[in-house]
């Protein structure tokens, strides 16, 4: 399926990549204080997904704001899953669906990204293939925020300011954070050459 736009916040694009009902938010974003249960919840999801997929799960990582100690976040866990070929849905989606996961986003033109929701825990399960730049980008942004309290606090302040606005879709809020994410990671690459290929991408 070809998507009508590479602008991930456009109404046309969101309609094209969303599977099932797409309900507008039309509200502010709810951010909550760090919850010590988030790592516990991730561990439970890790165990369940690993049991379902076995060695098809090439990588399974907690990413996004809930993975950074001390950072306020939307109370939804972002999880990165790498499978041999994310475009080959029959190889993994039916097994995940049998365990209660629901495929909600299909983006063939953006790194063959797939996103599933969880059966009982609020998660965004992001699926990519080996070689996609998005897996190291998500991990790089997480690791930089974990290691740099000043960057974490700068990001938190930007999130607070943006969350106070009214957004038609959550994706619009995510896209609005791009500027501060890129600024933080430009600084990270300047101080750590090992991160040259790790600009950030926030969850959809």
């Amino acid at each position: 399926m070809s998507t009508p736009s590479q602008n991930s916040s456009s109404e046309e694009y969101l309609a094209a990549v969303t599977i099932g009902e797409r309900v507008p938010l039309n509200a502010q974003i709810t951010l909550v204080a760090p919850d010590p249960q988030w790592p516990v919840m991730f561990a439970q999801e890790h165990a369940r997904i690993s049991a379902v997929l076995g060695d098809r799960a090439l990588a399974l990582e907690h990413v996004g704001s809930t993975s950074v100690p001390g950072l306020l976040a939307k109370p939804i866990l972002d999880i990165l899953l790498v499978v041999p070929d994310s475009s080959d849905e029959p190889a993994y989606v039916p097994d995940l669906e049998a365990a209660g996961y629901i495929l909600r986003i299909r983006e063939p033109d953006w790194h063959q990204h797939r996103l599933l929701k969880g059966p009982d825990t609020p998660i965004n399960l992001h699926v990519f293939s080996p070689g996609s730049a998005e897996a190291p980008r998500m991990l790089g942004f997480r690791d930089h925020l974990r290691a740099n309290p000043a960057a974490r606090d700068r990001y938190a302040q930007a999130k607070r300011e943006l969350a106070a606005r009214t957004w038609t879709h959550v994706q619009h809020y995510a896209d609005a954070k791009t500027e501060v994410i890129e600024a933080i990671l430009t600084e990270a690459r300047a101080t750590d050459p090992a991160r040259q290929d790790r600009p950030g991408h926030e969850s959809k």
Side-chain angles (χ1 to χ4, degrees), residues 27-34 38 63-78 141 145 150-167 170 172-181 184 201-203:
Q28 297 178 339
I29 300 295
T30 299
L31 299 177
V32 301
W38 287 338
V63 294
S65 294
T66 61
S67 70
V68 180
L71 181 60
L72 79 173
K74 302 189 304 293
I76 301 173
L77 273 65
D78 285 296
F141 189 56
L145 293 185
R152 180 200 64 201
D153 293 345
R154 177 182 174 187
Y155 185 48
Q157 182 58 35
K159 283 160 61 83
R160 288 190 191 94
E161 294 172 358
L162 291 170
R165 304 180 188 176
T166 297
W167 301 96
V170 175
H172 297 165
Y173 162 75
D175 288 348
K177 293 184 293 182
T178 299
E179 183 177 354
V180 66
I181 290 171
I184 289 171
H201 175 75
E202 183 69 4
S203 61

Side-chain angles (χ1 to χ4, degrees), residues 59-158:
L60 193 55
E61 296 272 355
H62 190 185
V63 294
S65 294
T66 61
S67 70
V68 180
L71 181 60
L72 79 173
K74 302 189 304 293
I76 301 173
L77 273 65
D78 285 296
I79 299 175
L80 168 67
L81 169 64
V82 178
V83 298
D85 181 357
S86 58
S87 70
D88 184 10
E89 293 179 18
Y92 66 97
V93 171
D95 288 340
L96 288 170
E97 289 179 332
Y101 295 86
I102 301 171
L103 182 63
R104 293 288 286 130
I105 297 289
R106 177 186 291 121
E107 293 185 280
D109 294 340
W110 188 73
H111 300 273
Q112 288 290 351
H113 173 242
R114 303 298 190 270
L115 183 145
L116 295 92
K117 294 291 188 177
D120 47 36
T121 300
I123 68 165
N124 291 321
L125 179 61
H126 301 275
V127 189
F128 295 102
S129 303
S132 168
E134 285 309 305
R137 287 176 178 182
M138 295 173 84
L139 292 169
F141 189 56
R142 178 199 68 184
D143 293 347
H144 182 67
L145 293 185
R146 284 178 172 178
N148 294 271
R152 180 200 64 201
D153 293 345
R154 177 182 174 187
Y155 185 48
Q157 182 58 35

